[in-house]
Amino acid sequence: MIFLFTYFVKFTGWLVYLILFKTKVIYEDKKVQSRRIKGKAILASNHTSVYDFALYIFVFFFRTLRYQMAEVLFKKKLLGLFLKLMGGIYVNRDTHDFSFINKSKKILDKGGVVGTFPESRIPRKDEMPLLEFKPSVSYLSLLSNTKIIPTYTNGRYFKKKRAVVVIGRPIYPKDYLNDALSEKENIDIINNVLRERIEELRDIYETKEKEK
Protein backbone atom coordinates (compact mmCIF):
# COMPACT_ATOMS: atom_id res chain seq x y z
CA MET A 1 0.00 0.00 0.00
CA ILE A 2 2.76 2.47 1.00
CA PHE A 3 4.82 1.58 -2.09
CA LEU A 4 1.87 2.10 -4.47
CA PHE A 5 0.71 5.34 -2.86
CA THR A 6 4.24 6.77 -2.79
CA TYR A 7 4.77 6.15 -6.49
CA PHE A 8 1.32 7.50 -7.31
CA VAL A 9 2.35 10.74 -5.55
CA LYS A 10 5.70 10.79 -7.34
CA PHE A 11 4.30 10.29 -10.83
CA THR A 12 1.39 12.71 -10.39
CA GLY A 13 3.54 15.32 -8.64
CA TRP A 14 6.64 15.13 -10.86
CA LEU A 15 5.81 18.16 -13.03
CA VAL A 16 4.89 20.28 -10.00
CA TYR A 17 8.16 19.27 -8.35
CA LEU A 18 10.17 20.32 -11.42
CA ILE A 19 8.49 23.72 -11.54
CA LEU A 20 8.56 24.58 -7.84
CA PHE A 21 11.89 23.07 -6.77
CA LYS A 22 14.03 23.19 -9.92
CA THR A 23 16.47 20.93 -8.12
CA LYS A 24 20.16 20.71 -8.92
CA VAL A 25 22.06 17.72 -7.51
CA ILE A 26 25.77 17.83 -6.67
CA TYR A 27 27.72 14.70 -5.80
CA GLU A 28 30.68 14.40 -3.49
CA ASP A 29 31.62 11.27 -5.46
CA LYS A 30 28.98 10.02 -7.89
CA LYS A 31 30.77 6.70 -8.45
CA VAL A 32 30.46 5.95 -4.73
CA GLN A 33 26.98 7.36 -4.09
CA SER A 34 24.54 8.57 -6.73
CA ARG A 35 20.78 9.12 -6.55
CA ARG A 36 20.32 5.37 -6.76
CA ILE A 37 20.46 3.79 -3.31
CA LYS A 38 21.49 0.15 -3.16
CA GLY A 39 20.31 -1.92 -0.22
CA LYS A 40 19.24 -0.63 3.16
CA ALA A 41 20.28 2.89 4.15
CA ILE A 42 19.62 5.82 6.45
CA LEU A 43 19.41 9.25 4.82
CA ALA A 44 20.51 12.11 7.08
CA SER A 45 20.11 15.75 6.09
CA ASN A 46 20.17 19.22 7.57
CA HIS A 47 16.68 20.57 8.18
CA THR A 48 15.53 23.83 6.57
CA SER A 49 11.80 23.48 5.97
CA VAL A 50 8.80 21.17 6.10
CA TYR A 51 9.37 20.81 2.35
CA ASP A 52 12.68 18.98 2.82
CA PHE A 53 10.75 15.71 2.91
CA ALA A 54 9.06 16.46 -0.41
CA LEU A 55 12.40 17.34 -1.97
CA TYR A 56 14.10 14.09 -1.07
CA ILE A 57 11.31 11.73 -2.13
CA PHE A 58 11.77 13.09 -5.66
CA VAL A 59 15.57 13.32 -5.59
CA PHE A 60 15.72 9.63 -4.69
CA PHE A 61 12.86 8.78 -7.01
CA PHE A 62 13.46 5.06 -7.34
CA ARG A 63 13.40 4.19 -3.64
CA THR A 64 10.57 4.37 -1.15
CA LEU A 65 11.74 6.65 1.64
CA ARG A 66 10.19 6.13 5.07
CA TYR A 67 10.77 9.39 6.92
CA GLN A 68 10.86 9.96 10.66
CA MET A 69 8.42 12.83 11.24
CA ALA A 70 7.59 15.01 14.23
CA GLU A 71 4.31 14.62 16.07
CA VAL A 72 3.19 18.15 15.17
CA LEU A 73 2.82 17.16 11.50
CA PHE A 74 0.30 14.45 12.37
CA LYS A 75 -2.01 16.76 14.31
CA LYS A 76 -3.80 17.99 11.18
CA LYS A 77 -6.09 15.16 10.08
CA LEU A 78 -5.64 15.36 6.31
CA LEU A 79 -1.89 15.94 6.48
CA GLY A 80 -1.54 13.22 9.10
CA LEU A 81 -3.43 10.75 6.92
CA PHE A 82 -1.29 11.66 3.91
CA LEU A 83 1.93 11.14 5.88
CA LYS A 84 0.72 7.77 7.16
CA LEU A 85 -0.06 6.66 3.60
CA MET A 86 3.46 7.80 2.62
CA GLY A 87 4.87 5.58 5.35
CA GLY A 88 5.81 8.35 7.76
CA ILE A 89 7.34 7.18 11.04
CA TYR A 90 5.71 8.99 13.98
CA VAL A 91 8.21 10.59 16.38
CA ASN A 92 6.87 12.20 19.56
CA ARG A 93 9.55 14.65 20.67
CA ASP A 94 7.61 15.55 23.83
CA THR A 95 7.88 12.12 25.42
CA HIS A 96 10.46 9.42 26.05
CA ASP A 97 8.76 7.09 23.58
CA PHE A 98 11.49 5.58 21.42
CA SER A 99 9.25 3.16 19.53
CA PHE A 100 10.21 5.02 16.33
CA ILE A 101 13.65 3.45 16.65
CA ASN A 102 12.19 -0.07 16.58
CA LYS A 103 9.88 0.82 13.68
CA SER A 104 12.82 2.24 11.75
CA LYS A 105 14.95 -0.82 12.46
CA LYS A 106 12.22 -3.15 11.15
CA ILE A 107 12.15 -1.17 7.90
CA LEU A 108 15.94 -1.35 7.59
CA ASP A 109 16.00 -5.06 8.43
CA LYS A 110 13.75 -5.57 5.39
CA GLY A 111 16.19 -3.67 3.18
CA GLY A 112 14.35 -0.33 3.25
CA VAL A 113 15.48 3.29 3.42
CA VAL A 114 14.75 5.53 6.42
CA GLY A 115 14.95 9.31 6.11
CA THR A 116 16.04 11.41 9.08
CA PHE A 117 16.83 14.97 10.17
CA PRO A 118 19.37 14.67 13.01
CA GLU A 119 18.79 18.28 14.14
CA SER A 120 15.28 17.13 15.11
CA ARG A 121 13.74 20.52 14.27
CA ILE A 122 14.04 23.48 11.93
CA PRO A 123 16.43 26.18 13.20
CA ARG A 124 14.81 29.43 14.27
CA LYS A 125 15.74 32.69 12.55
CA ASP A 126 18.04 33.65 15.43
CA GLU A 127 19.88 30.30 15.37
CA MET A 128 22.90 29.33 13.32
CA PRO A 129 22.57 25.97 11.57
CA LEU A 130 23.62 23.29 11.97
CA LEU A 131 21.96 22.67 15.33
CA GLU A 132 23.18 20.01 17.74
CA PHE A 133 22.55 16.53 16.32
CA LYS A 134 20.40 14.15 18.33
CA PRO A 135 22.03 10.71 18.84
CA SER A 136 19.08 8.63 17.59
CA VAL A 137 20.32 8.46 13.97
CA SER A 138 23.77 7.25 14.98
CA TYR A 139 22.26 4.81 17.45
CA LEU A 140 19.95 3.42 14.75
CA SER A 141 22.88 2.95 12.36
CA LEU A 142 24.81 0.98 14.98
CA LEU A 143 21.77 -1.02 16.09
CA SER A 144 20.89 -2.07 12.54
CA ASN A 145 24.43 -2.03 11.08
CA THR A 146 23.25 0.34 8.36
CA LYS A 147 25.17 2.90 6.33
CA ILE A 148 24.24 6.57 6.66
CA ILE A 149 24.08 8.65 3.49
CA PRO A 150 24.73 12.30 4.46
CA THR A 151 22.98 14.94 2.37
CA TYR A 152 22.71 18.73 2.38
CA THR A 153 20.08 21.06 0.98
CA ASN A 154 20.13 24.83 0.67
CA GLY A 155 16.38 24.90 1.31
CA ARG A 156 15.55 27.24 -1.57
CA TYR A 157 12.02 26.19 -2.45
CA PHE A 158 9.45 28.09 -4.53
CA LYS A 159 12.07 30.73 -5.43
CA LYS A 160 13.81 31.90 -8.60
CA LYS A 161 17.10 30.35 -7.48
CA ARG A 162 17.31 26.59 -7.65
CA ALA A 163 17.05 24.18 -4.77
CA VAL A 164 20.37 22.36 -4.44
CA VAL A 165 21.08 18.97 -2.89
CA VAL A 166 24.57 17.67 -2.18
CA ILE A 167 24.84 13.88 -1.82
CA GLY A 168 27.82 12.61 0.16
CA ARG A 169 29.72 9.37 0.43
CA PRO A 170 28.14 6.88 2.87
CA ILE A 171 29.26 6.55 6.47
CA TYR A 172 29.63 2.97 7.69
CA PRO A 173 29.19 2.60 11.48
CA LYS A 174 31.58 -0.36 11.69
CA ASP A 175 34.42 1.87 10.48
CA TYR A 176 34.16 3.88 13.70
CA LEU A 177 33.21 1.16 16.17
CA ASN A 178 35.70 0.76 19.01
CA ASP A 179 35.10 -2.21 21.30
CA ALA A 180 37.15 -0.55 24.03
CA LEU A 181 34.60 2.26 24.28
CA SER A 182 31.08 2.29 25.68
CA GLU A 183 28.02 2.27 23.43
CA LYS A 184 27.39 5.93 24.22
CA GLU A 185 30.97 6.86 23.31
CA ASN A 186 30.70 5.01 20.00
CA ILE A 187 27.40 6.72 19.24
CA ASP A 188 28.93 10.12 20.05
CA ILE A 189 31.82 9.43 17.66
CA ILE A 190 29.49 8.54 14.77
CA ASN A 191 27.28 11.51 15.61
CA ASN A 192 30.25 13.88 15.42
CA VAL A 193 31.42 12.32 12.15
CA LEU A 194 27.94 12.70 10.66
CA ARG A 195 27.71 16.36 11.64
CA GLU A 196 31.17 17.07 10.27
CA ARG A 197 30.33 15.33 7.00
CA ILE A 198 27.17 17.37 6.48
CA GLU A 199 29.16 20.52 7.24
CA GLU A 200 31.63 19.42 4.54
CA LEU A 201 28.75 19.00 2.08
CA ARG A 202 27.63 22.51 2.94
CA ASP A 203 31.17 23.71 2.18
CA ILE A 204 31.03 21.93 -1.20
CA TYR A 205 27.78 23.73 -1.99
CA GLU A 206 29.12 27.14 -0.92
CA THR A 207 32.30 26.64 -2.96
CA LYS A 208 30.22 25.84 -6.05
CA GLU A 209 28.14 28.97 -5.46
CA LYS A 210 31.27 31.15 -5.29
CA GLU A 211 32.56 29.68 -8.54
CA LYS A 212 29.53 30.91 -10.49
Side-chain angles (χ1 to χ4, degrees), residues 57-118:
I57 66 170
F58 285 100
V59 168
F60 297 97
F61 190 91
F62 295 102
R63 290 301 302 268
T64 300
L65 306 186
R66 302 285 301 276
Y67 260 91
Q68 294 177 358
M69 298 177 173
E71 73 293 332
V72 65
L73 297 175
F74 290 87
K75 289 181 178 179
K76 294 183 179 180
K77 289 185 179 180
L78 287 178
L79 177 60
L81 176 61
F82 174 77
L83 296 179
K84 287 178 182 178
L85 291 171
M86 291 293 290
I89 303 167
Y90 182 93
V91 180
N92 193 332
R93 298 170 299 177
D94 299 326
T95 68
H96 294 289
D97 180 8
F98 298 105
S99 60
F100 72 95
I101 293 289
N102 290 329
K103 291 177 183 176
S104 298
K105 184 178 182 298
K106 288 179 180 178
I107 293 167
L108 295 170
D109 288 344
K110 294 178 180 179
V113 180
V114 172
T116 65
F117 300 108

Side-chain angles (χ1 to χ4, degrees), residues 145-186:
N145 187 28
T146 303
K147 64 186 177 187
I148 306 173
I149 301 175
T151 56
Y152 175 82
T153 175
N154 64 354
R156 289 179 177 170
Y157 311 137
F158 317 111
K159 298 179 180 180
K160 290 182 179 179
K161 292 186 177 181
R162 300 177 71 178
V164 177
V165 170
V166 187
I167 301 173
R169 291 176 285 105
I171 298 167
Y172 294 90
K174 279 191 173 181
D175 292 345
Y176 302 94
L177 188 60
N178 187 336
D179 292 333
L181 300 177
S182 67
E183 182 181 63
K184 183 182 182 305
E185 289 172 322
N186 278 306

Side-chain angles (χ1 to χ4, degrees), residues 40-53:
K40 64 178 182 177
I42 299 170
L43 281 181
S45 173
N46 64 308
H47 205 4
T48 70
S49 162
V50 294
Y51 298 107
D52 293 337
F53 159 69

Side-chain angles (χ1 to χ4, degrees), residues 123-149:
R124 296 188 294 268
K125 289 183 179 180
D126 61 337
E127 293 178 318
M128 284 291 292
L130 300 167
L131 301 179
E132 178 184 356
F133 277 21
K134 302 299 182 183
S136 58
V137 177
S138 299
Y139 174 67
L140 178 61
S141 73
L142 272 178
L143 182 68
S144 60
N145 187 28
T146 303
K147 64 186 177 187
I148 306 173
I149 301 175

